[in-house]
Structures are given as C-alpha cells and as structure tokens.
Amino acid sequence: MRKLLVLALVGLAAQLVDGALGMAYGLTSSTLLLFAGVAPAAASASVHLAEIGTTLAAGVAHWRFGNVDWRVVARIAVPGALGAFAGATFLSAISTESAAPWMAAILFTLGAYLLIRFSRPLRPRSAAGRLRGRFLGPLGLFAGFVDATGGGGWGPVATPALLVSGRLEPRKVIGSVDTAEFMVAGAASVGFLIGLGTEGFLLPTVAALLVGGLIAAPIAAWLVRIVPAQLLGAAIGGVIVLTNARTLLRAGDAGASLTPVVYTLLVVGWVVALALSVRALRRARRARATAEAALAAAGPTPPGAAPTPVPVGADARLAAVER
C-alpha cells in the first residue's frame, strides 16, 4: 500500500508538471520510476498504458475549449503512432542492462533540453501558410520513437518544433499535440504488449499513476495560473538531468573522484539555468507591463477603428512566458 501511494504521488507530480508546461508527463514519471528501480521497458510500458487515460481526458478538454487543429492531429498522430510502436518493439527486444543506459541517455538529453529551453523565452518566428505533411510526418515519427524508447518525449520534441514554426497559435499547438498523444500512447502500449506480454505491464503501477494523474488534472489547471512555466520548466529539467546522470555514470564506470566533479558541474549549470529563467521571466513581465501601459495611455478604441497593436517584441516574450 505504501508503494502504491508513492506511485500515485509520482503520477500526481507528473501530471502537475504536464499541466503547467504542456509536456513532460512521461518524462517525469519514467524518470521517477527508474529512480525507484523499475526496469526500463516495464517503466515505459506502464507509463504509456496510464497515458491512454490521461491523454484521453486532456484531449477531450482541449476539444471542448477549441484548442485542437484536427488537420494537424491527423497528420502527426499516425506517424507518431508508427514511431511509438517501433520504439516499443525496439526497447522490448534489448536487455535490461542495455536498456537502462539508453533510456537514461534519452531522458538526460531531454532534461538538458528543458533546461536550455526554459532558461530563456521562446520567440516564435512569424511565418505564413499552413503546416505541411512533409514536416508533420517526420516530426511525428521521430517524436513517437523517442517517446517510446525514452519513456517520454512526445511533448518535449513535438511541441517546441510546432511553436517555433509560428504557423499555429500556442494554445492550438498544445491542444493538438496532447490530443494526438492518445494514439501515440495506445500504439506504444500495443508494441509493449506484443514484445513483453501482459507481464510487462505493472498493473498496480498503471492504476496508481492513472489515479494520481486524474486527481492532479484540475489542480494543474489552477497551478498553471500561479507558478510561472518559465521557472517550473527549468526546475524540472534540472531534476531529470541529475537523476539520470547517476545511471549514466554507473554505466560508464566513472571513478569515485570523477563523480563529484560531474555532479558539481551539473548543479552549477542547473543554478545558472534557474537564474536565467528568472531573469527572462522578469524581462517578459516588464515588457508586458509596458505594453499594457501603452494601450491604456492610448485610450479606448473608437467603434469601427482598428485596435492598437501590441509591440511585436513584447508579444513574443509574453507568448513565451505563457507557454
């Protein structure tokens, strides 16, 4: 019972992070399960089975709020599902000893990416036109493969790529990626079922993760309004990097003298990233305040007149903070 409660807290924490950032449910929960000693394939299989429920709930919510571009979903979900199935089959075929460093390396890389991304505002490029299938297909295929082999990565790979394209508003990027993830999670679960059998799924773990995630969903909706995504993303990225560094150091047979040096460098990098994220957050808030003051000074817009535009730089920084 104590272990199930801990796993439920893992699912709750992962959903809080995912609700605040629009990504990293699988990334966070897989990292914590590996830290608890769960085998890599079993961890990824259990997380993806639990994600079928959480992504379904998230997709329905996004659809009701009008945050889904079904054209994008259709063009990214199918390749994503194929990539996830291939990744699950690959991870199921290799030994636990070989899988642990592979999975830790993917999680470490994605954690470092979160650190870099959230240490500065994301500035979307303005681009005309629609997202094309020749871009969405390979992106979905790659993101799905990384998601299954790493136990997470669909959101961290797909969401930023769509955001920086500038061709889809941020709320529809998040809604479309979350909705498409339902098919990705389902395909990965089928791949693990074929490769590992039913014994590959830790059903109590799945149930605990699912319960924790469902409990956290409404809390996350409140949390995203309180805790800045800029700061939370850098904090979670550092936790993921430090946690998976332990597995990589063990796999590389790092000596007792080298391990403290590596951890010190990683902690210093984490602190620097947090400081940069706070700096970027303050700059974005100042830019927003300046833009709002300019709009207030301009007075109300007369009927039939075009509204006064918000400065491009402030608008870009505001969108970055909100995501």
Side-chain angles (χ1 to χ4, degrees), residues 245-271:
R246 183 186 66 162
T247 303
L248 294 176
L249 288 172
R250 288 180 178 178
D253 293 327
S257 59
L258 180 61
T259 300
V261 175
V262 173
Y263 275 119
T264 300
L265 292 176
L266 291 177
V267 170
V268 170
W270 187 14
V271 172

Side-chain angles (χ1 to χ4, degrees), residues 12-22 57-58 61-62 65 67 174 178 212-229 232 322-323:
L12 188 146
Q15 185 60 43
L16 288 177
V17 173
D18 190 82
L21 299 180
H62 282 300
F65 283 104
N67 296 337
I174 302 304
D178 280 356
L214 294 178
I215 291 174
I219 303 175
W222 167 81
L223 183 66
V224 72
R225 302 175 61 183
I226 305 300
V227 180
L232 184 61
E322 289 176 343
R323 283 308 319 142

Side-chain angles (χ1 to χ4, degrees), residues 7-128:
L7 291 173
L9 291 175
V10 169
L12 188 146
Q15 185 60 43
L16 288 177
V17 173
D18 190 82
L21 299 180
M23 64 178 73
Y25 176 87
L27 188 60
T28 305
S29 53
S30 294
T31 294
L32 295 176
L33 287 179
L34 288 177
F35 186 75
V38 178
S44 185
S46 301
V47 166
H48 281 90
L49 190 59
E51 277 187 319
I52 293 179
T54 58
T55 55
L56 178 61
V60 170
H62 282 300
W63 167 66
R64 289 177 64 88
F65 283 104
N67 296 337
V68 179
D69 185 321
W70 290 106
R71 178 181 173 276
V72 173
V73 171
R75 297 199 174 194
I76 199 173
V78 174
L82 294 175
F85 181 84
T89 304
F90 171 78
L91 189 62
S92 301
I94 61 179
S95 65
T96 300
E97 291 76 12
S98 302
W102 166 272
M103 195 168 179
I106 293 177
L107 292 172
F108 181 93
T109 303
L110 292 173
Y113 170 76
L114 290 179
L115 273 178
I116 296 172
R117 181 194 175 204
F118 288 100
S119 64
R120 57 181 182 174
L122 180 65
R123 294 180 173 85
R125 299 191 305 266
S126 57

Side-chain angles (χ1 to χ4, degrees), residues 285-301 306-312 314-315:
R285 285 179 172 175
R286 285 197 298 266
R288 178 175 182 174
T290 301
E292 290 177 348
L295 290 175
T301 303
T308 303
V310 177
V312 174
D315 184 61

